[in-house]
Amino acid sequence: MTTRFYSFLIAFIAFVGIAEALGNDLFRRVAEMVNDERQKVGLPRLIYNEKLEQAALSHSQWMARVGKMEHLQGDKPHDFQDYLKSDHHHATRILKTGYLSWQDLFEVTREGNTGHVRTKPDADDHVSEIIAYAGPGTGNVPKQLPTVVPGWMKSPGHRAVIVKTCWKEIGAAFAVSRNGSTYYAVTFGQPIGQ
C-alpha cells in the first residue's frame, strides 16, 4: 500500500473521530437544554446516561433511515418473545441496552395453565421517550436546538414527560437523513430502587 493511501486512511479516521466527538457533544447539549427547562420549574438536573443515549441514537437513526417521525418502529410483534427482541417500542430499545431488565417493567401472572405478561403499574415511571423532527432547510443542529427544546416545552405531552419528577437520568441523540432532515430522540430513565 502506498504512503498516499495511508495518509488518506489516517485523515479519514481523524475525521470520523472528530465527527463522532462533535456528535456526542451535541447529544449532551440537547440533554443540557432539557435539564435547563427542568431547572426553570424547580426540578433537579438529570444525570447523563450512555445506555439511554444508545437507545435514543438507535431510534433517531431508524427515523432518519425510514424518513418518518414515529415512536413505534415497524410492525407490532406477534408475541412477548418477539416484542423483547424487537425495537418496536421505546421500552424494548432501552431494555436492549441493559439499562433495566424486562422483569423490572413486566410481570408474568398465571391463570390456570396460562401465563400472561403484564406491564407493571409503575413501568412508565422508569422509562420514556420524546422525539422531534427538523426538516431540510432548517439549518444544522446547533441552529435547530434553540427551537427544538422550547418546542417540546410548548407541547403539553412532551412537557409532561420532561417535567416528570421521577426521572433521574437522561440520554439524547439525533441523526440526519439523506435529505438533510434531523430526527431527535431523548430517553428518560429511573433505575429500579431509586
Side-chain angles (χ1 to χ4, degrees), residues 153-186:
M153 292 303 287
K154 290 177 187 168
S155 162
H158 292 97
R159 186 181 193 283
V161 173
I162 290 170
V163 300
K164 200 167 180 179
T165 58
C166 62
W167 304 134
K168 304 292 184 203
E169 299 175 323
I170 188 172
F174 59 84
V176 180
S177 70
R178 288 184 179 173
N179 75 354
S181 298
T182 308
Y183 293 84
Y184 294 87
V186 177

Side-chain angles (χ1 to χ4, degrees), residues 120-166:
K120 289 186 177 179
D122 66 347
D124 287 341
D125 292 340
H126 291 287
V127 294
S128 195
E129 169 188 85
I130 59 174
I131 57 177
Y133 163 80
T138 56
N140 60 20
V141 171
K143 289 182 180 175
Q144 294 167 0
L145 288 181
T147 59
V148 170
V149 176
W152 280 324
M153 292 303 287
K154 290 177 187 168
S155 162
H158 292 97
R159 186 181 193 283
V161 173
I162 290 170
V163 300
K164 200 167 180 179
T165 58
C166 62

Side-chain angles (χ1 to χ4, degrees), residues 32-50:
E32 285 305 308
M33 291 179 77
V34 170
N35 267 328
D36 292 346
E37 295 296 337
R38 286 177 56 85
Q39 208 164 17
K40 286 178 189 176
V41 297
L43 293 172
R45 297 180 82 76
L46 303 175
I47 297 166
Y48 199 81
N49 183 283
E50 301 284 335

